[in-house]
């Protein structure tokens, strides 16, 4: 029986995407529920699995645009090889083991890097990845090839073909996610009156609290006690005090949102994604930390659902994990505010007329001045600062 393979629906507003990668080649045998291809949309990347065991026939190429619901191939279940073909079975098992060995010996890599390595004849196990967690990126493969050439100059191993293959620049099509990010950033700057106000917070109290309870917290809840849960809670307290920061503009109306769906920006290889913590005001510290880890993992593994990214009333972004000291974050439309966290640096500050060394963090609030006045923006950021410097305020809601 031949079963068609269609591009699945990934959200009501999504009508097309790009088939970014086939995991299997045309004519190959695939197993039921085995990943077949990856489709990228403006919101997320989705893997599609085989509906049955059989031989794959592909109708579109990698990089082609595809509409939701379009047929991109089929699986012929009647062409499953007979179990009585021992030679083919042994060869398949050997090939499988070889593939498993290659995958286990190499660091994680993105699809385009694997494709580039295959075309260049590069063993990924020999490539050092520069991405997060040692993940191998395109530039790592290029650098590996260039390094092989440079270390082999004068040797008969280096051929003219290899030298000719190395270029000074490469071109890569923007992914739908990256295109959408670009569109939304431009839209935010064009359609909102964005201003940014700054403050700084002494992180001593939060750091002491984490140091005191991190082991027992992890033991009881199975997740680490990070900074983000403190910031989420502090932001919610500030949003309750200054509702305009949690509001949005719809036409000529201001929509005040009496719920707190907090977006937490996550950096992935495909660009910045903002998964949303639904009703974060009702979540405990442990629930916040667990949900953040779950969403961040899904985003980086390309398993994030469109529903995980939709909505949100306010966003928190943390450039500090990359070493940023200060930045002006851009709004995530239609939201009216976004908080930027930065790296913690020990600095000399004056406390009770004494110069002391404290772990300080610069905070930045970008806001839409059409709906939020300067007084509200500054007061909001001061409230966040107060909650961080005195965490008991969070628990007592004062």
């Amino acid at each position: 029986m031949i079963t068609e393979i269609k591009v699945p629906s990934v959200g009501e507003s999504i009508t097309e995407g790009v088939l970014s990668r086939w995991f299997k080649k045309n004519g190959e045998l695939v197993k039921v529920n085995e990943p077949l291809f990856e489709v990228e949309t403006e919101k997320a990347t989705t893997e599609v699995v085989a509906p049955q065991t059989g031989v794959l026939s592909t109708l579109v190429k990698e990089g082609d645009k595809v509409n939701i619901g379009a047929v991109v191939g089929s699986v012929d279940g009647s062409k499953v090889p007979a179990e009585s073909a021992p030679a083919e079975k042994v060869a398949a098992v050997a090939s499988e083991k070889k593939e498993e060995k290659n995958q286990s010996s190499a660091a994680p890599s993105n699809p385009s890097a694997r494709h580039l390595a295959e075309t260049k004849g590069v063993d990924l196990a020999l490539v050092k990845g520069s991405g997060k967690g040692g993940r191998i990126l395109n530039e790592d493969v290029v650098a590996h090839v260039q390094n092989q050439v440079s270390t082999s100059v004068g040797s008969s191993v280096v051929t003219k073909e290899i030298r000719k293959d190395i270029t000074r620049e490469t071109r890569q099509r923007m992914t739908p996610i990256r295109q959408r990010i670009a569109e939304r950033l431009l839209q935010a700057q064009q359609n909102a009156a964005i201003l940014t106000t700054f403050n700084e917070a002494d992180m001593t109290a939060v750091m002491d609290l984490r140091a005191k309870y991190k082991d027992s917290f992890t033991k009881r809840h199975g997740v680490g006690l990070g900074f983000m849960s403190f910031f989420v809670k502090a932001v919610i307290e500030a949003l309750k005090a200054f509702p305009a920061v949690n509001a949005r503009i719809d036409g000529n109306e201001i929509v005040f949102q009496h719920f707190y769906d907090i977006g937490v920006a996550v950096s992935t290889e495909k660009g910045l994604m903002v998964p949303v913590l639904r009703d974060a005001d009702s979540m405990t510290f442990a629930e916040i930390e667990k949900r953040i880890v779950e969403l961040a993992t899904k985003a980086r593994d390309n398993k994030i659902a469109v529903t995980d990214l939709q909505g949100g009333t306010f966003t928190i972004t943390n450039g500090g994990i990359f070493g940023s000291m200060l930045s002006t974050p851009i709004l995530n439309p239609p939201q009216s505010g976004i908080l930027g966290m930065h790296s913690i640096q020990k600095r000399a500050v004056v406390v009770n007329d004494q110069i002391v060394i404290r772990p300080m963090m610069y905070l930045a609030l970008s806001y839409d001045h059409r709906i939020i006045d300067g007084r509200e923006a500054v007061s909001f950021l001061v409230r966040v600062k107060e909650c961080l410097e005195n965490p008991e305020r969070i628990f007592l809601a004062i």
Side-chain angles (χ1 to χ4, degrees), residues 68-83:
I68 300 301
V71 177
V72 296
S74 62
V75 176
D76 189 346
S78 65
K79 294 184 178 180
V80 179
E83 289 293 325

Side-chain angles (χ1 to χ4, degrees), residues 19-20 22 58-66:
L19 196 153
S20 58
W22 281 103
T58 61
L59 298 178
V60 301
K61 300 177 183 177
E62 291 184 349
D64 285 355
K65 280 190 176 182
V66 291

